[in-house]
């Protein structure tokens, strides 16, 4: 985990992401009881195209009706890293995913292809973005070449 991201995560206040947890749970108002952050590894995309890491943030929250578990995914991207290009025409343009979510295009993909729901995008100094995403829990499996081709056609 890059030092600046690690420090920012450690100093993160519940008020900064409570609105995201409210969206995850579909409940308002909520009180965050606890939370923890775990880096997700296993793929090059965490540190490619400006990536500073992918993290699962989870915990419990409560309202007047009960206590609920929650989890979400945080992707951190920066234009100051050496892993992505600043050229919007480049394949590894670091800001492409941020712009795609901000445009709304990923919320309405055609066919059976879908993207994780984006709850919020936080910008820090214009060169670092935190994308707060739906945590999709599905069995890990190998994608066949045919499935990759289908996803590419839909996109």
């Amino acid at each position: 985990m890059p030092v600046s991201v690690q420090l920012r995560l450690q100093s993160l206040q519940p008020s900064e992401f409570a609105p995201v947890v409210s969206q995850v749970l579909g409940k308002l108002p909520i009180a965050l009881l606890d939370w923890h952050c775990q880096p997700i590894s296993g793929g090059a995309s965490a540190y490619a195209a400006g990536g500073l890491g992918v993290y699962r943030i989870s915990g419990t929250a409560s309202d007047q009706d009960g206590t609920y578990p929650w989890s979400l995914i945080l992707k951190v991207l920066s234009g100051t890293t050496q892993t992505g290009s600043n050229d919007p025409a480049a394949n590894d343009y670091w800001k492409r995913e941020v712009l795609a979510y901000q445009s709304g295009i990923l919320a309405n993909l055609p066919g059976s292809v879908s993207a994780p729901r984006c709850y919020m995008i936080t910008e820090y100094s214009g060169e670092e973005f935190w994308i707060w995403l739906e945590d999709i829990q599905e069995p890990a499996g190998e994608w066949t070449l045919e499935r990759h081709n289908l996803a590419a056609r839909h996109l």
Side-chain angles (χ1 to χ4, degrees):
M1 177 180 318
V3 175
S4 64
V5 173
Q6 183 177 11
L7 292 174
R8 193 168 285 150
L9 282 169
Q10 289 172 350
S11 65
L12 193 62
Q13 298 298 308
S15 61
E16 295 177 76
F17 63 94
V20 177
V21 176
S22 288
Q23 290 180 62
V24 169
L25 296 174
K27 299 186 174 293
L28 188 69
I30 54 105
L32 292 176
L33 302 177
D34 61 50
W35 64 278
H36 60 277
C37 179
Q38 171 186 2
I40 297 175
S41 61
S45 64
Y47 299 101
L52 293 179
V54 180
Y55 310 91
R56 175 173 284 114
I57 301 178
S58 59
T60 56
S62 67
D63 68 3
Q64 69 276 6
D65 297 324
T67 301
Y68 312 96
W70 57 268
S71 67
L72 53 95
I73 300 297
L74 173 63
K75 292 182 83 172
V76 181
L77 305 170
S78 174
T80 61
T81 67
Q82 299 299 316
T83 60
S85 173
N86 284 317
D87 177 4
N91 289 339
D92 63 345
Y93 177 49
W94 76 273
K95 202 172 176 184
R96 183 169 286 119
E97 186 173 8
V98 171
L99 295 173
Y101 273 112
Q102 287 175 333
S103 75
I105 194 169
L106 296 177
N108 299 303
L109 293 173
S112 60
V113 173
S114 62
R117 181 176 171 199
C118 180
Y119 296 112
M120 180 171 74
I121 296 175
T122 307
E123 181 177 356
Y124 295 99
S125 304
E127 290 296 315
E128 185 174 302
F129 289 86
W130 288 22
I131 307 174
W132 301 85
L133 299 168
E134 174 183 17
D135 186 359
I136 299 180
Q137 304 272 334
E138 65 178 39
E142 295 281 331
W143 270 36
T144 64
L145 182 57
E146 291 78 22
R147 188 166 182 192
H148 280 283
N149 286 337
L150 177 63
R153 264 195 305 274
H154 283 296
L155 291 173

